[in-house]
Amino acid sequence: MDTLDDLFARLRVATAPAEIEALQEGIWQIWLTTGHPLLDKHLEAGMRYLSAEDYTLAIREFTELIETSPDYAESWNKRATAYYLRGEYRASLLDIQQTLRREPRHFGALSGWATIVRMLGDDAGTLRVWQRLERLCPNWPGLQAQMRDLRDRLDEANGI
């Protein structure tokens, strides 16, 4: 079985969208493995509540998971997602920071961070987050075009 490091090394050089997607799926499978039945129960319940759009109960489950296993990055990421979907962007950003502190390569957290920063109108901040994503996977589908468009907009705004 591939380790996270193996999958990320392959993701860095992958060029085909199907290959990138398969590598991301492999990474998600590892991230979604807590290694403990009680933690799995909270994760699964939180994800069910998230799918049912019951963000309050999802946040409660992910918080329980965080309190039980604070080093498990995915619990922070899932709670960040629930906060985002509930419109609580500041809380989401704080949990994204915690996710990235535990797993700096977390492309889901980086993507969420870029989405929030872009919504808040911070093009330069969005570009910085996308550059971190680019270091993980330069051929992420659509990333280069989005970065080019954003750089053009920043250049126009700066009179370049």
Side-chain angles (χ1 to χ4, degrees), residues 8-148:
F8 273 106
R10 290 171 47 204
L11 186 62
R12 209 171 359 270
V13 296
T15 56
E19 179 185 14
I20 292 168
E21 186 176 329
L23 290 166
Q24 289 172 338
E25 182 59 35
I27 291 167
W28 277 112
Q29 285 179 4
I30 293 171
W31 283 343
L32 290 170
T33 303
T34 67
H36 190 281
L38 177 63
L39 300 180
D40 285 341
K41 181 182 164 200
H42 286 295
L43 181 62
E44 290 167 14
M47 289 171 59
R48 270 195 315 276
Y49 289 130
L50 204 55
S51 293
E53 299 181 14
D54 189 337
Y55 307 127
T56 300
L57 288 178
I59 289 166
R60 185 178 307 152
E61 290 294 333
F62 297 135
T63 299
E64 186 74 29
L65 189 53
I66 288 166
E67 289 171 354
T68 305
S69 183
D71 291 332
Y72 179 55
E74 192 54 30
S75 58
W76 294 94
N77 183 59
K78 291 293 184 229
R79 191 172 75 174
T81 301
Y83 278 133
Y84 169 80
L85 291 170
R86 200 160 78 173
E88 295 181 41
Y89 305 129
R90 179 167 167 67
S92 181
L93 287 170
L94 290 172
D95 279 0
I96 288 169
Q97 282 181 323
Q98 293 298 323
T99 303
L100 293 170
R101 183 171 291 141
R102 288 156 180 80
E103 175 51 84
R105 304 169 296 187
H106 201 297
F107 49 77
L110 288 168
S111 181
W113 185 13
T115 298
I116 293 171
V117 174
R118 184 135 193 212
M119 282 178 24
L120 298 174
D122 182 356
D123 288 345
T126 303
L127 185 58
R128 283 191 299 275
V129 177
W130 280 348
Q131 287 168 334
R132 284 183 63 175
L133 194 54
E134 180 185 36
R135 287 193 290 276
L136 296 174
C137 183
N139 297 303
W140 187 288
L143 180 64
Q144 293 302 326
Q146 287 180 317
M147 289 177 64
R148 191 171 36 259

